[in-house]
Amino acid sequence: MKVASLVTSICLSLALLSSASAQDAKYPKDIVHIVVGSSPGGTADTVSRLIADQLGKTFGQTFVVDNMPGAGGALAATTVKAAAPDGYTIGFVFSSFSILPSLNPKVNYNPVTDFAPIAKVSSAPNVLLVNPSFGVKTLAEWIEKVKANPGKFDYGSGGIGYSQHLSMEMLLQAIKGESVHIPFTGSGNLLAALISDQVPFAFDTLTTAVPHINAGELIPLAVTSAQRSEVLPQVPAVAEQVPGYELTAWNGFVAPKGTPPEIVKALNEAILAYLATDKAKEFFAKVGTKIDPSTPDKFGAVIGDDYEKFGKVISEAGIKAQ
Amino acid sequence: MDFLSNLALGFHVALAVNNIFFCFVGVLAGTLVGVLPGVGPLATIAILLPVTFSMEPASALIMLAGIYYGAQYGGSTTAILLNLPGEASSAITTLDGYQMARNGRAGPALAAAALSSFFAGTIATVIVALFAAPLSKVAMAFRPPSYFSMMVLGLIASVVLARGSVLKAIAMVLLGLLMGTIGTDIYSGTARLNMGMLELADGVDFVGLAIGLFGIAEILKNLEGHQTREVLTKKVTGLMPSLSDLKRIIAPTIRGTLIGSALGILPGGGAMLSSFAAYIVEKKVSKNRDEIGHGAIEGVAAPESANNAGSQTAFIPMLTLGLPSNAVMALMIGAMILQGIQPGPEIIVKQPDLFWGLIVSMWIGNLMLVLLNLPLVGLWVRFLTVPYPVLVVAVMAFSAVGIYSASGTLFSMGELGLFALLGYVFMKLGCEPAPLTLGFILGPMLEEQLRRSMLMSRGDPTVFLTEPISLGFLVAAVLALLIICAPAIARRREEVFVED
């Protein structure tokens, strides 16, 4: 048993050695760093680790995840922007990537011109939730009540400039309603505030809200994706009432601008191949987000659209950091 | 009888061979990361999260929970031996624990920490089992004004932390409050006092601050001369607490357990605030209060029981409501989701085996921890005989690695160094770092709740008086202020405390 395993491991390392020398010119020759702008743990980190592991197997090279939390992901994005465009430093980014530069002038990157998109990985809508005591059951009733009482009601979010905040600002701008923003720190605190009726309504990510919807603590009025969500098919999309309204939170990989296209292509193919496996489908079903792979170009278009859309919402709402 | 059958179910799950094994792995890992400065349970649980994918849900949660409360046991070890808080929640234990070690009583201090933690763990587990559902309702009744008033009470009481001059203590609290404002304002998104550095966007890192101010600063001081360390090793008298020691820790442990259990339930409360609160209360009510701050065993037992109790009851909102009360609980919720379990109010009904199994495993884990930690006391004390230069290098390397692994930036190393120097300067000036730490923790919460209350009331400050819980805390705060300011008491304070 022991000898057998020793023999296999020797054979394996020999095989690795020979393949390495045979493919001398081929990417990747060295460890690849994936910079993630969130703390260890949590969905974004877990997803990136899972994919890093898979890319490692596909390319026969180690892909390590570097956690660089801070400034809502801006620290990580700035690090990726400054890295050499050789494919050995890539970033795993999420929606805030295209929001932060409009929000904070100190954030020194442009999500469109400073990066080469690799692939989108998954996406999830937000859902408009109300506490049952607020007394509305549909989006139409909600719109009516909010418009009839400008500035009277509070709404919560997980933080200023978070997608929960911008979802509401976009909706309020569309229906010309007014409501006072009360930021909380993170989705968990937001949900607690909603359930204990500190704030009557808020947008939150679908995944974290579902258990509380099922328990009857919160009523879902509408989802932010253009179409209804498979998770809550009975809940309408905001767009059914407010045409053109759309917002999805997503995540995906980017590289520094100037990374060779063939490397971007190789990474994109490897990521997409993994996302098509049953293992990936099972994992993402558990996490509750939808696998939403795309080509580099399409991902670039999503980033660009969001950058433009959120920039407009932010300047119209007068949300501006100094 | 329902309770007994639930408990039986819990024991059935927790005593399954694989679950006992994972519980042991969890508490062992927890003890280790607790001992290592800088590496916290948060990072450890995060790193181990992917490992739990393939485990059964109950085993996974039992192991991850073990890491969390296990770290509360381990965190006191370096706090006592080296003045180095292994965990943020052990920062306050350094005050008396390290003094005890300097008096040659490191053994009893470590044993007292383990025993009071075990007592607290046991009681808190019973509290979780019996009252989880009603207590979660209490937590939900706390609205922003109540939180604010509670923090005001805490801030006023913090002056008690002063070992020397009261004026210096107040100055340190204020400095802590100021440092707490560094970072991004959560209500406007404005960067404050960060000198244009994105690294400071989320504020100053508490772990670096605590390790620098307490631990590394102490090392710097010790390196000035050689004589102080000799004392530590020579005078070691007995490893276990004496009978009179045990008698002295009974009341503080009970008080600490109750305080920890209460604060643990509240969001943001948890282990860290509990330990501070328990210490402050002890300093006011203990029979031996004059000794506290100078190496009293009460000053170890109270915060250590409180942080352990707090870390157990922190599970209540998570298990009964699916709402995290701190970052570790948020990770536990993540772990559940990855296991295909929807955390939320339905867990008790739909997954009773998981709920009760986890609760019973907490008690079993606490039993393992005390059995693990008591024999280790002798080993830890022998650590003090390691030549100081060797020990110093190892400790500083571990601290640096721990902090770097969590932040991933060299900036955090700079922070650590800066706080070490600052701590050294404070020591020379006779300023205690403990009040600063409390101000640093309370400040951001105080501001967050104050401004949220005012936003919600549209600028009407009477909300703090009209909300009953808030009013209660404010009345208590006024009483505390009167006690502190009463001139007769103040004069006595000066007499007692001024000598060092």
Side-chain angles (χ1 to χ4, degrees):
Chain A
M1 193 59 200
K2 220 174 176 182
V3 176
S5 71
L6 191 67
V7 170
T8 7
S9 67
I10 291 173
C11 290
L12 253 174
S13 36
L14 283 176
L16 279 176
L17 271 177
S18 59
S19 72
S21 54
Q23 307 174 344
D24 215 19
K26 228 179 145 200
Y27 169 84
K29 286 177 285 187
D30 206 349
I31 293 173
V32 179
H33 293 263
I34 301 177
V35 182
V36 182
S38 71
S39 312
T43 318
D45 176 66
T46 315
V47 169
S48 63
R49 278 177 200 279
L50 207 74
I51 294 177
D53 188 46
Q54 199 56 44
L55 290 176
K57 283 177 193 152
T58 312
F59 287 102
Q61 183 56 264
T62 310
F63 281 65
V64 292
V65 171
D66 292 346
N67 291 101
M68 201 170 278
L75 211 53
T78 316
T79 307
V80 174
K81 175 194 163 188
D86 52 9
Y88 292 97
T89 307
I90 60 175
F92 185 67
V93 297
F94 20 89
S95 304
S96 68
F97 176 68
S98 43
I99 300 175
L100 289 166
S102 315
L103 200 63
N104 185 349
K106 293 260 166 62
V107 169
N108 190 19
Y109 70 82
N110 181 313
V112 181
T113 55
D114 290 336
F115 297 90
I118 297 172
K120 186 155 79 159
V121 170
S122 70
S123 65
N126 286 336
V127 55
L128 176 58
L129 300 159
V130 294
N131 188 291
S133 74
F134 191 61
V136 305
K137 293 233 156 34
T138 65
L139 180 62
E141 287 170 22
W142 180 87
I143 292 176
E144 198 184 327
K145 192 163 178 177
V146 169
K147 285 188 77 169
N149 299 282
K152 185 180 171 197
F153 303 117
D154 296 338
Y155 74 93
S157 81
I160 197 153
Y162 279 43
S163 78
Q164 300 131 334
H165 177 198
L166 298 182
S167 300
M168 184 62 83
E169 277 302 335
M170 260 170 68
L171 182 56
L172 290 169
Q173 284 174 12
I175 65 163
K176 303 202 165 44
E178 271 177 51
S179 173
V180 176
H181 178 217
I182 312 280
F184 289 83
T185 44
S187 176
N189 292 333
L190 169 63
L191 278 172
L194 257 180
I195 292 166
S196 62
D197 207 14
Q198 290 179 34
V199 286
F201 48 79
F203 278 97
D204 197 13
T205 44
L206 192 55
T207 331
T208 48
V210 163
H212 303 286
I213 293 171
N214 290 341
E217 294 171 331
L218 298 170
I219 302 172
L221 296 185
V223 292
T224 58
S225 44
Q227 262 84 44
R228 295 186 177 205
S229 157
E230 292 152 27
V231 185
L232 289 174
Q234 75 281 15
V235 177
V238 176
E240 293 173 31
Q241 194 75 213
V242 184
Y245 183 98
E246 192 202 346
L247 184 150
T248 43
W250 46 257
N251 53 37
F253 288 91
V254 296
K257 188 84 192 170
T259 303
E262 59 273 17
I263 290 179
V264 170
K265 187 163 170 275
L267 286 168
N268 177 282
E269 280 165 4
I271 293 164
L272 263 49
Y274 166 66
L275 292 177
T277 61
D278 287 343
K279 205 179 132 201
K281 282 179 189 142
E282 190 194 338
F283 173 81
F284 281 92
K286 274 185 188 173
V287 179
T289 56
K290 208 174 102 199
I291 295 180
D292 192 7
S294 75
T295 61
D297 287 347
K298 278 203 183 127
F299 186 35
V302 170
I303 295 173
D305 284 354
D306 273 11
Y307 182 49
E308 198 181 320
K309 179 164 67 184
F310 292 133
K312 230 176 96 201
V313 174
I314 288 168
S315 69
E316 247 178 68
I319 314 161
K320 202 81 185 174
Q322 296 311 307
Chain B
M1 283 313 97
D2 207 23
F3 175 67
L4 286 184
S5 65
N6 283 333
L7 218 52
L9 173 67
F11 270 104
H12 179 72
V13 174
L15 288 177
V17 176
N18 58 335
N19 286 343
I20 287 200
F21 172 74
F22 284 119
C23 185
F24 181 72
V25 172
V27 298
L28 187 68
T31 305
L32 284 178
V33 301
V35 170
L36 292 174
V39 190
L42 188 64
T44 313
I45 292 175
I47 290 160
L48 286 180
L49 207 56
V51 181
T52 64
F53 289 167
S54 53
M55 289 162 59
E56 280 174 41
S59 309
L61 289 179
I62 284 172
M63 185 178 87
L64 296 177
I67 295 172
Y68 181 48
Y69 57 78
Q72 312 301 331
Y73 276 77
S76 57
T77 308
T78 45
I80 290 168
L81 295 176
L82 300 164
N83 202 36
L84 193 76
E87 284 320 306
S89 57
S90 301
I92 203 79
T93 310
T94 57
L95 298 186
D96 280 80
Y98 185 61
Q99 289 301 325
M100 281 184 76
R102 286 175 72 180
N103 299 336
R105 294 181 22 89
L110 289 169
L115 288 172
S116 57
S117 292
F118 174 64
F119 177 83
T122 307
I123 299 295
T125 307
V126 173
I127 290 175
V128 176
L130 280 175
F131 307 115
L135 281 177
S136 62
K137 293 216 172 65
V138 174
M140 297 296 272
F142 261 70
R143 298 171 62 86
S146 315
Y147 276 112
F148 169 75
S149 303
M150 186 173 84
M151 302 296 166
V152 169
L153 173 64
L155 209 59
I156 289 175
S158 69
V159 176
V160 176
L161 280 175
R163 275 195 284 194
S165 145
V166 176
L167 197 64
K168 281 181 183 168
I170 294 174
M172 292 300 273
V173 171
L174 292 177
L175 188 61
L177 287 175
L178 270 178
M179 282 166 58
T181 60
I182 295 175
T184 308
D185 171 21
I186 62 167
Y187 292 100
S188 69
T190 306
R192 297 191 300 202
L193 301 174
N194 72 344
M195 294 167 278
M197 287 181 275
L198 272 185
E199 286 88 347
L200 281 175
D202 299 326
V204 173
D205 174 33
F206 180 74
V207 182
L209 179 135
I211 291 180
L213 281 185
F214 288 93
I216 312 288
E218 175 69 22
I219 289 175
L220 291 178
K221 195 192 90 184
N222 284 339
L223 288 177
E224 277 180 350
H226 332 269
Q227 72 287 7
T228 41
R229 292 295 300 184
E230 312 287 314
V231 186
L232 242 93
T233 46
K234 264 188 201 149
K235 280 203 315 201
V236 176
T237 51
L239 290 178
M240 288 298 137
S242 66
L243 205 61
S244 74
D245 282 339
L246 287 178
K247 267 192 204 143
R248 283 176 61 172
I249 64 171
I250 291 174
T253 304
I254 293 172
R255 283 191 285 263
T257 304
L258 293 177
I259 292 167
S261 302
L263 286 178
I265 303 164
L266 301 174
M272 190 154 64
L273 219 51
S274 309
S275 59
F276 273 95
Y279 187 87
I280 288 171
V281 167
E282 214 47 45
K283 189 131 186 189
K284 268 291 159 201
V285 306
S286 166
K287 260 191 299 189
N288 304 309
R289 55 179 169 268
D290 295 347
E291 283 177 48
I292 291 181
H294 303 271
I297 199 159
E298 288 90 343
V300 175
E304 283 302 313
S305 54
N307 68 27
N308 203 37
S311 71
Q312 314 266 334
T313 55
F315 281 87
I316 289 180
M318 194 274 278
L319 286 173
T320 56
L321 303 170
L323 298 170
S325 60
N326 58 38
V328 172
M329 290 303 131
L331 266 186
M332 297 283 289
I333 285 180
M336 284 191 182
I337 291 174
L338 292 173
Q339 289 281 356
I341 300 168
Q342 294 281 16
E346 290 172 310
I347 280 207
I348 308 183
V349 187
K350 283 194 180 158
Q351 317 248 351
D353 50 332
L354 184 80
F355 180 81
W356 293 100
L358 182 60
I359 289 176
V360 172
S361 87
M362 286 189 199
W363 184 74
I364 294 175
N366 271 284
L367 189 65
M368 286 180 187
L369 279 165
V370 80
L371 294 177
L372 191 72
N373 275 278
L374 281 183
L376 280 177
V377 167
L379 179 79
W380 293 131
V381 172
R382 230 171 300 154
F383 252 85
L384 292 177
T385 57
V386 174
Y388 199 57
V390 178
L391 198 64
V392 165
V393 172
V395 164
M396 292 185 34
F398 272 122
S399 303
V401 169
I403 290 174
Y404 183 78
S405 65
S407 70
T409 58
L410 276 177
F411 184 83
S412 58
M413 298 291 96
E415 264 180 312
L416 178 66
L418 186 72
F419 283 116
L421 285 176
L422 211 58
Y424 181 73
V425 172
F426 287 153
M427 221 179 268
K428 288 284 158 197
L429 294 175
C431 296
E432 294 285 337
L436 183 148
T437 339
L438 190 67
F440 180 77
I441 296 167
L442 284 181
M445 295 194 208
L446 191 80
E447 189 202 351
E448 180 186 334
Q449 304 294 352
L450 170 68
R451 292 177 63 190
R452 188 170 297 146
S453 307
M454 297 302 278
L455 266 176
M456 286 176 164
S457 73
R458 305 288 186 272
D460 176 11
T462 54
V463 281
F464 299 106
L465 301 174
T466 50
E467 198 144 306
I469 304 176
S470 167
L471 182 66
F473 279 119
L474 284 183
V475 169
V478 171
L479 287 178
L481 197 64
L482 286 177
I483 294 172
I484 292 168
C485 292
I489 300 173
R491 207 175 309 127
R492 210 194 62 187
R493 283 188 55 91
E494 294 295 326
E495 283 164 19
V496 176
F497 291 111
V498 103
E499 92 269 23
D500 63 349

